[in-house]
Every structure is written in structure tokens, then in C-alpha cells.
Amino acid sequence: MRDMFQTAVQLLYPPRCLGCGEMVESDFGLCADCWQDTPFIGGTVCDSCGAPLPGEADGARLDCDDCMVQPRPWAQGRAALIYRGRARDIVLALKHGDRPEVAHAAGRWLARAAQPLLRDDMVIAPVPLHPTRLFKRRYNQSALLVQALARETGHRYCPDLLVRRQRTAPLDGKSAAERFADLEGVIGLHPGRAHRMTGRPVLLVDDVMTSGATLSACAEACHAGGAAQVFVLALARVVKEH
């Protein structure tokens, strides 16, 4: 009976590519063309932010120019995608296009990228949205990514470990210095959740890392609350075009 029901659902709602909407073989996948146009990050990367780097890794820690200029308040960071091409479309569909199903596939991509970061007894937490923005959007895209990642890795997660104390203006188009200034003191620990991360490693998850200002504010709040270590993971990383 269950197989018959699933077959009927597939006939009525055939699997569609997350990127272009063309039919694909399985749910939450990409067609061949969109896969080629989705820049996954692999190879040598910056240990702090996950941006791709030239050359071969030799076992020593490597940091990109941005992370050397702006040291990060976290131990390591990774990202699954470069924020351009089809990856940018996918992230925006999740963030602003009312496409929460994107998180299902993103959870698998994030789980692969997160392998160097995962620790025993780690708690995974999303970058928070201000309540007014959450009400308008109806979901926190970072929280959906955390749920999908936890499902893939088996780690525990806390969807409201952090809170935004005030609503900030959109950060798009602002300089790195402006972003860091806007977020100073904005993010803090949920008073009823702090005990869940005390003395434990924390993995913070966001949809996009640009300057790192938002994740820095979150990492500093976790350190202040007694986290053993803080790691960060983004679905996509904005990188400079060369």
C-alpha cells in the first residue's frame, strides 16, 4: 500500500530539479546542467572561512587574505558552495523564494563540507533571525539547514541557542566595516538555552558568509557563554572574482 501511495504521489508530483524545475530522477536533486553550473567547493580551502585556495594542501593551516587581515573568532570554518551561478539561485530560493525544500539537498552538501569540523558532543545552532523578520519570512532558513544537517550527521541541534536582540538594516551593499559595526552587541545567548553549549563545541550554520560579521557576532556570543570551541559552516561563501 505504501509503495502504491508513493507511486501515485510521484505521478502527480514528479521530482523536479531544484535549480531549473526540469524533471529529475529523485526528489531534491539537480539536473545535469544545473549540477555543472553549481560551483561546489573542494580541494584546498581556507581553514578559517572555507574559501577555495590555489595550490595543494600540505597539512599546515592555510588562511585566505581576508582571514589574515580579519582574524576570525572561531577555530575553523567551511562552506559547501561558491556564491555564484546556480548556487546563488538556490540560496536565494531558500532565503527569499519560499522554497524550504531546498534545505533537504543542502543538508547533504553541508554534511560533506562539515566533515573536518564535526566533533563528539557537538551542538549545532543556526544564525538567528529577528522575530519581526521571522514572522515575515515564516521560517529561518539557517534553522532549516541546521535541521537537515543534524539529520544527516546525527548530531544534536538547538534551533534557538542564539537570539537577535534588535533588528538591523539589511547588510547587502555595505562594507565589511559597516557590517561589523551594525552587528556589535546585536546577537546574544537565549537565557534558557545557554546550559546546552557550556563546555561543548558549537557549530554555527548560516546560509551565506560574506564578510563574516554575522558569524563573528554569533561566535563571540558563544564564547561568552562558555562554549569549548566554535566552528562555522555556510551553505555558500562569497569569494572575490579574479
Side-chain angles (χ1 to χ4, degrees):
M1 179 66 70
R2 182 180 178 181
D3 290 342
M4 292 177 61
F5 175 76
Q6 290 177 335
T7 300
V9 170
Q10 289 177 345
L11 290 173
L12 290 172
Y13 305 102
R16 299 281 181 176
C17 171
L18 288 175
C20 66
E22 291 295 317
M23 285 191 291
V24 291
E25 293 184 358
S26 59
D27 289 324
F28 315 121
L30 295 171
C31 69
D33 289 342
C34 286
W35 182 270
Q36 291 181 350
D37 194 33
T38 303
F40 288 88
I41 294 176
T44 305
V45 299
C46 171
D47 271 311
S48 291
C49 72
L53 295 175
E56 298 291 330
D58 59 4
R61 183 181 179 93
L62 296 172
D63 285 301
C64 67
D65 292 344
D66 286 345
C67 290
M68 286 191 287
V69 171
Q70 180 72 54
R72 309 299 185 177
W74 58 74
Q76 282 182 287
R78 290 293 186 272
L81 309 168
I82 298 174
Y83 188 67
R84 65 168 179 248
R86 187 62 72 182
R88 182 178 182 274
D89 297 338
I90 291 171
V91 172
L92 291 177
L94 172 65
K95 189 169 186 174
H96 299 299
D98 198 21
R99 296 276 307 281
E101 72 276 8
V102 169
H104 287 272
R108 298 193 297 269
W109 306 336
L110 286 169
R112 287 195 294 267
Q115 285 306 309
L117 313 179
L118 297 177
R119 301 290 189 275
D120 293 337
D121 203 32
M122 173 174 268
V123 61
I124 307 175
V127 168
L129 278 181
H130 189 269
T132 58
R133 190 158 283 144
L134 179 61
F135 178 79
K136 181 179 180 180
R137 195 174 294 171
R138 296 187 298 109
Y139 60 84
N140 177 356
Q141 71 277 2
S142 297
L144 293 182
L145 294 174
V146 161
Q147 292 173 7
L149 176 61
R151 184 172 58 247
E152 294 290 330
T153 65
H155 283 73
R156 286 176 287 182
Y157 70 96
C158 183
D160 55 353
L161 180 68
L162 300 172
V163 295
R164 276 190 191 250
R165 296 168 174 153
Q166 63 189 68
R167 180 168 179 168
T168 55
L171 300 177
D172 295 343
K174 293 192 174 185
S175 68
E178 290 171 331
R179 289 168 179 256
F180 277 91
D182 284 355
L183 287 161
E184 186 174 356
V186 167
I187 295 174
L189 288 175
H190 187 300
R193 303 289 184 270
H195 67 281
R196 299 184 61 174
M197 52 146 265
T198 303
R200 296 172 59 186
V202 176
L203 177 61
L204 298 170
V205 178
D206 203 3
D207 54 349
V208 181
M209 186 193 308
T210 305
S211 67
T214 303
L215 284 165
S216 290
C218 293
E220 288 166 357
C222 289
H223 282 305
Q229 285 182 296
V230 179
F231 303 85
V232 302
L233 177 66
L235 177 56
R237 175 73 168 106
V238 175
V239 299
K240 295 177 180 178
E241 299 290 344
H242 297 288

